[in-house]
Amino acid sequence: EVQLVESGGGLVQPGRSLKFSCAASGFTFSNYYMAWVRQAPKKGLEWVATISTSGSRSYYPDSVKGRFTISRDNAKSSLYLQMNSLKSEDTATYSCARHGIYGWYFDFWGPGTMVTVSS
Amino acid sequence: DTVLTQSPALAVSPGERVTISCRASESVSTGMHWYQQKPGQQPKLLIYGASSLQSGVPARFSGSGSGTDFTLTIDPVEADDTATYFCQQSWNDPYTFGAGTKLELK
């Protein structure tokens, strides 16, 4: 059974940094592109980052480019998101998601970890 | 960015057929995907590539469309289908989601 479990969210002040992780199991982690997707309270979904199978390529929307860094450790089946220069609008639940084989959609999601950016 | 527009809410009776629409502000070819999200749960993939049914998803769900206009059809609707349905496009960078359509059963 595919499982994705995030950890490491919390309350952080504006301008500070936070890094959290996702533990994957139930599939061959190194064969899949992986992503982070966020959902702000009472709002819709926003794709935040994607990383290639080897970790050599990463992709971001302009809203987080230069502030967020996605990384992975295939030996540990783990995905990470480093967030710098946090803003109040980054407050959201961040979910780890597995990319589908046939395209840039997400076929499994974790339950998410909540990040609150507030002073 | 490609904006995906969905109707905010629909109410239908069990056993009926419902279509949920998603309109893109520019062509996304067949790079459209559909998710179901129930309260307190993570999204679940239903349809990818506009019309391909994800493994394990009941055949009551189907998708159609290309270019800018897409639909998710549930036929027949069951009580357990109460949820919010999101569309997502993967043709244009950045990859965007619709705001969701909340489906309620009468």
Side-chain angles (χ1 to χ4, degrees), chain A residues 4 24 27-36 47 49-59 70 72 74 79 96-108, chain B residues 95:
Chain A
L4 300 169
F27 65 102
T28 305
F29 182 73
S30 58
N31 286 353
Y32 289 83
Y33 275 44
M34 296 295 296
W36 290 98
W47 165 69
T50 285
I51 190 166
S52 63
T53 51
S54 67
S56 61
R57 289 167 292 173
S58 55
Y59 309 85
I70 187 172
R72 65 192 296 162
N74 286 340
L79 182 72
C96 164
R98 190 179 82 170
H99 269 269
I101 286 180
Y102 302 113
W104 283 56
Y105 56 90
F106 311 104
D107 65 356
F108 283 97
Chain B
Y95 311 113

Side-chain angles (χ1 to χ4, degrees), chain A residues 39 45 47 104-106 109-110, chain B residues 35 37 42-43 88 90 95:
Chain A
Q39 187 167 24
L45 296 156
W47 165 69
W104 283 56
Y105 56 90
F106 311 104
W109 301 58
Chain B
Y35 303 86
Q37 186 176 34
Q42 59 265 48
Q88 177 238 325
S90 62
Y95 311 113

Side-chain angles (χ1 to χ4, degrees), chain A residues 23-102:
Chain A
S25 61
F27 65 102
T28 305
F29 182 73
S30 58
N31 286 353
Y32 289 83
Y33 275 44
M34 296 295 296
W36 290 98
V37 181
R38 68 184 178 185
Q39 187 167 24
K42 305 291 187 185
K43 293 193 176 177
L45 296 156
E46 182 183 13
W47 165 69
V48 168
T50 285
I51 190 166
S52 63
T53 51
S54 67
S56 61
R57 289 167 292 173
S58 55
Y59 309 85
Y60 308 91
D62 287 345
S63 58
V64 307
K65 195 175 293 183
R67 297 191 300 123
F68 289 11
T69 302
I70 187 172
S71 60
R72 65 192 296 162
D73 184 335
N74 286 340
K76 295 182 178 179
S77 295
S78 292
L79 182 72
Y80 306 98
L81 186 66
Q82 172 74 46
M83 305 190 299
N84 298 331
S85 304
L86 282 162
K87 308 174 183 179
S88 58
E89 51 262 43
D90 295 319
T91 293
T93 295
Y94 286 75
S95 292
C96 164
R98 190 179 82 170
H99 269 269
I101 286 180
Y102 302 113

Side-chain angles (χ1 to χ4, degrees), chain B residues 26-94:
Chain B
E26 57 187 321
S27 177
V28 300
S29 185
T30 56
M32 183 63 77
H33 322 290
W34 291 93
Y35 303 86
Q36 175 194 66
Q37 186 176 34
K38 297 181 179 180
Q41 297 184 17
Q42 59 265 48
K44 173 187 176 183
L45 177 68
L46 300 174
I47 301 288
Y48 63 92
S51 60
S52 295
L53 188 68
Q54 170 69 355
S55 176
V57 174
R60 303 184 292 106
F61 293 88
S62 62
S64 64
S66 65
T68 60
D69 290 296
F70 298 84
T71 56
L72 171 71
T73 300
I74 311 172
D75 186 15
V77 172
E78 296 183 357
D80 188 52
D81 298 335
T82 298
T84 299
Y85 294 84
F86 293 94
C87 54
Q88 177 238 325
Q89 66 83 20
S90 62
W91 192 254
N92 302 311
D93 186 7

